[in-house]
């Protein structure tokens, strides 16, 4: 099976007249379609909101598009909070879910009115010390431990995750926070990453809904919302079927009506914190073949490397690769597609069957719209690429310029060498 790029060779050739490879490209049309779909899937729940996981694609232009569909922001750091605040997404439009949290981040989140999601029972005192009080609304993050299973097998091992509280700690936290005056509680859990199936959310919902009923009955607190977090994945491999978000929403509705409605809790609002599902399939990394090497294996060297897309090097993650203009040619050549880092794991594909690749060919590395650019780094002095949006009309706009050596050296601005480095960049700039 083959995947088709959302962009044509002609469009990329037009873009590369102005923007050199490598760069990340996003499809506005696809992002909007997905935002509409998630909103429709949970339209049965009054007050539902998607809080886009900013860490997935921290670009204000992308967040602004999602804002049009009433999406908020799920933030996990000070700079993510600052971005949300600058986009007028403070207050109830921001969820702050962090761990090992510095006091100043709690304070900033509180000052902008964000909903604070506590990752640990000790954060109660740390939050109170940081802001001088406890907010009226607090969310508690559950880690149920054990092994998380669905009908298709083992999904993950929450007991090995650093996130969230035990169930006993959730109850203890709820009692303490109730005594401190909290009026509205939320529940949150993130148990699985990239679940490409339709039964994960309904199963997670059942866990959280049952816990909510017990908390109400045993502690006497008001649960105002339940955040199903992220975890719904995308089909990276071509043979995988995509999730059906409408079916997922219906599955959650059935569990909601089975558990919450009979308990008199049919007013609970549901939230999601999807990142990968919202933008992952609607982005790609455009790179150019710049070298061939034939030793014990055949290698294609490209001008992108792991600093532009870390997932294959870090996780061994699969990303489909298209050679623009050769999508319908037979895949009869075996290559390792590699970058230029001084690390042997700097490989986008290993033993991948592709059409014959020639120096100068443009390659599309699929499904990089989430956790692609955002995980970039500067090893070997490599610079982060540009981000480009293909808009609804087929035109493109740069939504983040590529880094320059001046950016890389800017944190040396107090050292004498900084001026010399800038002068050298000026000499190298055409």
């Amino acid at each position: 099976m083959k995947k088709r790029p959302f962009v044509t060779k002609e469009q990329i050739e037009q873009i590369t007249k102005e923007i050199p490879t490598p760069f990340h490209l996003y499809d506005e049309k696809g992002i909007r379609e997905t935002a509409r779909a998630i909103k429709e899937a949970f339209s049965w729940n009054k007050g539902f909101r998607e809080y886009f996981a900013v860490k997935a694609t921290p670009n204000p232009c992308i967040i602004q598009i999602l804002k049009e569909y009433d999406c908020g922001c799920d933030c996990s750091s000070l700079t993510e909070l600052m971005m949300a605040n600058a986009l007028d997404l403070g207050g109830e439009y921001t969820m702050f879910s962090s761990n090992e949290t510095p006091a100043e981040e709690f304070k900033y989140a509180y000052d902008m009115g964000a909903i604070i999601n506590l990752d640990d029972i000790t954060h109660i005192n740390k939050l109170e010390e940081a802001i001088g009080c406890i907010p009226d609304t607090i969310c508690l993050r559950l880690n149920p431990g054990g092994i998380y299973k669905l009908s298709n097998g083992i999904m993950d091992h929450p007991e090995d995750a650093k996130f969230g509280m035990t169930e006993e700690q959730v109850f203890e936290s709820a009692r303490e926070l109730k005594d401190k005056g909290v009026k509205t509680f939320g529940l949150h859990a993130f148990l699985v990453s990239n679940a490409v199936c339709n039964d994960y959310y309904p199963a997670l919902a059942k866990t959280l809904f049952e816990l909510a009923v017990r908390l109400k009955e045993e502690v006497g607190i008001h649960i105002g919302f339940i955040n199903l977090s992220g975890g719904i994945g995308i089909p990276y491999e071509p043979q995988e079927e995509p999730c059906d978000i409408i079916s997922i929403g219906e599955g959650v509705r059935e569990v909601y009506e089975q558990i919450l409605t009979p308990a008199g809790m049919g007013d609970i609002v549901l939230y999601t914190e999807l990142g990968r599902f919202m933008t992952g399939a609607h982005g790609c990394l455009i790179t150019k073949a710049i070298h061939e090497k034939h030793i014990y294996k055949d290698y294609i060297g490209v001008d992108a490397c792991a600093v532009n897309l870390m997932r294959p090097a870090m996780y061994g993650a699969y990303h489909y690769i298209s050679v623009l203009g050769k999508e319908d040619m037979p895949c009869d050549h075996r290559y390792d597609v590699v970058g230029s880092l001084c690390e042997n794991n700097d490989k986008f594909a290993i033993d991948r069957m592709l059409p014959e690749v020639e120096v100068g060919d443009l390659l599309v590395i699929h499904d990089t719209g989430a956790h692609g650019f955002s995980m970039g780094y500067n090893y070997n002095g490599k610079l982060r690429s540009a981000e480009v949006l293909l808009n609804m009309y087929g035109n493109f706009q740069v939504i983040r310029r590529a880094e320059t050596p001046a950016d890389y050296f800017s944190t040396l601005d107090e050292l004498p060498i900084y001026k010399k480095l800038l002068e050298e960049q000026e000499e190298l700039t055409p």
Side-chain angles (χ1 to χ4, degrees), residues 197-198 242-249 277:
C197 60
N198 294 336
C243 294
D244 181 347
I245 194 62
I246 301 299
S247 175
I248 291 170
F277 181 79

Side-chain angles (χ1 to χ4, degrees), residues 117-420:
N117 182 24
L118 295 183
D119 182 71
D120 186 53
I121 190 169
T122 64
H123 283 182
I124 297 173
N125 290 337
K126 291 185 177 183
L127 175 62
E128 194 166 22
E129 290 171 4
I131 67 176
C133 64
I134 292 291
D136 289 342
T137 298
I138 284 287
C139 188
L140 300 175
R141 187 173 191 174
L142 170 71
N143 181 332
I147 298 173
Y148 203 77
K149 295 181 179 180
L150 295 177
S151 59
N152 57 348
I154 295 173
M155 298 297 291
D156 217 330
H157 296 73
E159 63 188 11
D160 293 330
K162 69 173 183 176
F163 307 109
M165 311 180 203
T166 66
E167 186 175 291
E168 292 76 15
Q169 289 172 335
V170 168
F171 273 84
E172 185 179 345
S173 297
R175 292 187 180 96
E176 181 177 349
L177 288 165
K178 179 187 176 186
D179 291 342
K180 289 179 179 289
V182 173
K183 297 180 174 58
T184 301
F185 286 82
L187 292 176
H188 175 285
F190 181 88
L191 305 183
V192 172
S193 180
N194 198 45
V196 190
C197 60
N198 294 336
D199 53 351
Y200 166 58
Y201 253 20
L204 172 62
K206 183 176 186 294
T207 298
L208 289 175
F209 293 171
E210 289 175 344
L211 178 61
V213 173
R214 289 175 53 209
L215 282 165
K216 177 191 175 186
E217 293 175 348
E218 297 176 29
V219 185
I221 62 173
H222 169 61
I223 307 291
F225 61 90
I226 292 176
N227 190 330
L228 299 175
S229 69
I232 298 178
I234 60 172
Y236 286 99
E237 301 201 26
Q239 72 275 11
E240 292 180 310
E241 290 292 326
C243 294
D244 181 347
I245 194 62
I246 301 299
S247 175
I248 291 170
E250 179 62 18
V252 173
R253 185 190 65 78
E254 291 176 3
V255 179
Y256 189 102
E257 293 180 352
Q258 290 169 5
I259 298 172
L260 293 180
T261 302
M265 301 171 73
D267 60 344
I268 286 181
V269 177
L270 299 185
Y271 298 148
T272 57
E273 288 176 355
L274 298 169
R276 191 192 318 263
F277 181 79
M278 300 298 286
T279 59
H282 309 308
C284 60
L285 176 60
I286 305 297
T287 185
K288 183 181 293 184
I290 60 173
H291 185 71
E292 294 180 60
K293 184 173 184 175
H294 305 283
I295 46 173
Y296 307 104
K297 302 180 75 172
D298 292 335
Y299 295 91
I300 294 295
V302 296
D303 58 5
C305 59
V307 305
N308 306 112
L309 179 63
M310 186 194 290
R311 297 186 72 255
M314 187 175 185
Y315 303 120
Y318 178 95
H319 284 265
Y320 190 86
I321 297 176
S322 295
V323 184
L324 282 174
K326 299 182 179 180
E327 293 90 342
D328 296 319
M329 292 178 61
C331 296
D332 52 7
H333 286 64
R334 186 185 303 273
Y335 298 111
D336 282 12
V337 180
V338 302
S340 60
L341 291 187
C342 296
E343 296 291 340
N344 196 44
N345 66 349
D346 183 20
K347 299 180 178 181
F348 294 113
I350 298 174
D351 292 328
R352 185 71 59 86
M353 299 304 295
L354 295 171
E356 182 178 10
V357 181
E358 301 170 276
V359 170
D361 279 345
L362 291 165
L363 278 61
V364 176
I365 303 178
H366 290 242
D367 303 317
T368 70
H371 311 292
F373 177 92
S374 66
M375 296 178 73
Y377 56 108
N378 288 123
Y379 184 61
N380 276 182
K382 295 292 186 178
L383 304 174
R384 292 177 178 85
S385 69
E387 292 182 289
V388 181
L389 181 70
L390 184 70
N391 68 23
M392 298 290 291
Y393 308 102
N395 302 317
F396 70 92
Q397 65 183 98
V398 177
I399 57 175
R400 190 193 303 268
R401 67 165 174 83
E403 286 184 337
T404 67
D407 297 315
Y408 181 79
F409 296 127
S410 64
T411 50
L412 303 173
D413 59 357
E414 295 184 3
L415 299 180
I417 194 175
Y418 181 62
K419 182 178 180 181
K420 185 176 180 180

Side-chain angles (χ1 to χ4, degrees), residues 34-103:
T34 299
R36 280 194 293 268
I38 185 73
K39 192 171 183 179
E40 178 185 350
F42 287 90
S43 59
W44 55 268
N45 180 251
K46 186 177 180 180
F48 167 80
R49 178 169 294 128
E50 154 65 13
Y51 287 85
F52 176 64
V54 175
K55 61 181 174 286
T57 319
N59 189 291
C61 184
I62 301 296
I63 297 170
Q64 192 69 45
I65 291 170
L66 296 174
K67 183 181 176 182
E68 295 180 29
Y69 299 88
D70 199 45
C71 294
C73 288
D74 162 43
C75 299
S76 58
S77 70
L78 176 62
T79 47
E80 290 181 357
L81 287 168
M82 292 170 67
M83 186 181 297
N85 206 23
L87 291 167
D88 295 323
L89 285 167
E92 64 179 14
Y93 277 86
T94 291
M95 289 283 302
F96 182 49
S97 299
S98 69
N99 62 95
E100 323 310 328
T101 309

